[in-house]
Amino acid sequence: MSTFTRTRNRYFATFTLLTSATLLLTACGSGSDGTGGAGTAQAAAKADKIPTTDVVSVVRKDEAAARLLPAGTTSLTVGVSISGAPPGTTYLTDGKTLTGQDVDFANAVAKTLGIKLKQESASFEAILPALDSGKYDFGASNFGVTDERRRTIDFVTYINDGQGFATRADSKLSKITELTQLCGLNVATAAGTTFEATLEENNKACAEAGKKPYKVQTYSEQGAIWSSLQQGRSDIVMSTINGLRYAVAHQQGVKFLNEFHRLDVGFAFEKGTKLAPAFRAAVNKLIADGTYAKILDKWGTTGSAIETSRISPPELKD
C-alpha cells in the first residue's frame, strides 16, 4: 500500500469515527453574526452527511479570464491538505474522491479557465514550501493571507474566514478576547498554521503579565485535535471559524466560543506568479454568475463571502 493510500485511509477513518459518534446534530443557522449557512448545508447537517450537491460541473469556460493565463497553460497541479471534516477537504464515502469547499473553488476556477486540474494531497505545513520548488502550481487549503506569508507567497483571495476558539461544553470559558486568557492552559491547534504562529508569537504575554505560559499542542489531523480536547489533554482548540462551527454542530460536549481574528483566505502561489491575474478574474466571474454563492451555500459558509477577489491584499487588522 502506498504512502498516499495509507494517509488517505487514515483521514477517512478519522472522519468516519468522528461523525458516526455524533449525537448533537445542529445545523449552522444564520445568526446575528452572519456566519451561518443554509440550503443544502443545513439538510446535510441534519442527516450528518457530507454535502454532495454538484455545483461545479455546469461551470463554463470564460474566454476573457482564460486569456490572462500564461501562454501554453493547459493543466495545473494543486496541493491540498486533508482536514478530515467539512467544510475543509475530506473524502467522500468511496474513500478516494476529494471534496470540500476549497476543492469546489479550485475545480470551479479550473473550469472557468478551461484547464485540467491535478489534485495532490499533502500535509498543510508542506504545501507552501513546495510552491517555490514547482512541486505544486498552487495550494488550496484555507490559507490565511498574512503579512508574514506575503513576503514569500502570492495569494488570490476567494473567501474570508479566520481564527476562532472552541472548548468543552462544561468549560467556564465563554469568550477569548485576549490571549492572556489562555495562560496556564493547553491549547490544541494544527501544525504549520496561522493559529500556531499567533500562539507562539504571543506566548510571552503570559510571562509579562506574571502568569504561567500556555502550552501549544500541534497536530496534523483534525481528529487528533478534537480527541485531545474531549479526553482532557487540551483545554481549548484554536482553528478556522468555519471548521470550528461545523465540528461543534457535529459533536457532543463541545461549544464554539467566538471569532478571534478574521483573515482573507486565498489560493497560494510562488512569489511573482503569472497565474494570479487569471485566477482573480476566474473567482470574480464565479461571483458574478452565482456559482460562488452556490458553493458557499453548499458548505454552510455564506458568512465568508467576499465582494471581489484581490491579489495579495494586506493582512486584515482588528
Side-chain angles (χ1 to χ4, degrees):
M1 182 182 293
S2 68
T3 300
F4 172 79
T5 302
R6 288 195 299 270
T7 301
R8 181 193 68 194
N9 290 343
R10 184 175 68 250
Y11 278 117
F12 179 63
T14 298
F15 178 74
T16 301
L17 287 172
L18 177 70
T19 55
S20 64
T22 298
L23 294 177
L24 179 63
L25 300 178
T26 306
C28 299
S30 297
S32 59
D33 58 5
T35 57
T40 56
Q42 288 182 333
K46 290 178 181 179
D48 202 24
K49 296 179 181 178
I50 300 173
T52 57
T53 304
D54 180 4
V55 293
V56 175
S57 63
V58 296
V59 175
R60 297 291 179 261
K61 180 179 179 180
D62 181 74
E63 296 295 341
R67 283 195 294 270
L68 297 175
L69 284 169
T73 303
T74 58
S75 65
L76 295 173
T77 299
V78 57
V80 294
S81 173
I82 315 301
S83 71
T89 302
T90 186
Y91 288 97
L92 291 177
T93 53
D94 62 7
K96 61 182 180 180
T97 303
L98 289 173
T99 188
Q101 179 172 257
D102 297 315
V103 171
D104 274 352
F105 274 119
N107 287 335
V109 165
K111 289 183 71 67
T112 301
L113 296 176
I115 58 176
K116 294 181 179 179
L117 191 63
K118 179 183 179 182
Q119 300 168 345
E120 292 190 3
S121 65
S123 63
F124 182 90
E125 61 270 28
I127 295 175
L128 295 184
L131 295 174
D132 192 50
S133 69
K135 183 176 183 178
Y136 310 119
D137 295 300
F138 69 103
S141 291
N142 207 79
F143 289 111
V145 180
T146 68
D147 290 337
E148 177 65 27
R149 284 177 172 171
R150 288 194 308 128
R151 295 189 181 120
T152 57
I153 300 292
D154 279 342
F155 293 93
V156 174
T157 61
Y158 59 97
I159 60 168
N160 174 274
D161 193 350
Q163 305 172 337
F165 291 98
T167 188
R168 289 184 296 277
D170 60 0
S171 172
K172 294 181 179 180
L173 293 170
S174 60
K175 188 175 184 179
I176 303 298
T177 57
E178 301 289 340
L179 293 182
T180 50
Q181 292 173 258
L182 304 177
C183 297
L185 301 180
N186 294 323
V187 186
T189 194
T193 60
T194 60
F195 320 116
E196 180 185 10
T198 296
L199 291 168
E200 295 292 0
E201 290 170 5
N202 292 278
N203 209 342
K204 60 185 179 182
C206 291
E208 293 171 353
K211 299 180 179 180
K212 181 181 178 180
Y214 51 76
K215 182 179 179 181
V216 182
Q217 300 171 323
T218 59
Y219 301 89
S220 296
E221 300 177 12
Q222 288 295 314
I225 291 176
W226 291 107
S227 292
S228 73
L229 179 70
Q230 293 172 329
Q231 295 172 8
R233 289 180 282 110
S234 61
D235 303 295
I236 192 168
V237 171
M238 186 178 190
S239 189
T240 66
I241 296 167
N242 289 333
L244 289 174
R245 288 186 180 280
Y246 186 94
V248 166
H250 287 73
Q251 293 186 72
Q252 184 182 33
V254 293
K255 63 182 179 180
F256 179 77
L257 293 181
N258 61 285
E259 297 183 8
F260 182 72
H261 177 49
R262 278 273 173 175
L263 285 172
D264 285 320
V265 170
F267 298 115
F269 304 83
E270 66 174 336
K271 194 69 176 177
T273 181
K274 294 182 179 180
L275 293 170
F279 270 67
R280 177 179 58 183
V283 173
N284 286 332
K285 174 63 176 178
L286 294 170
I287 292 173
D289 69 18
T291 303
Y292 180 86
K294 291 178 181 178
I295 294 175
L296 293 182
D297 184 68
K298 172 182 176 178
W299 297 105
T301 56
T302 55
S304 285
I306 59 174
E307 294 183 357
T308 187
S309 177
R310 296 190 292 169
I311 297 175
S312 298
E315 179 180 348
L316 295 176
K317 303 294 185 180
D318 293 332

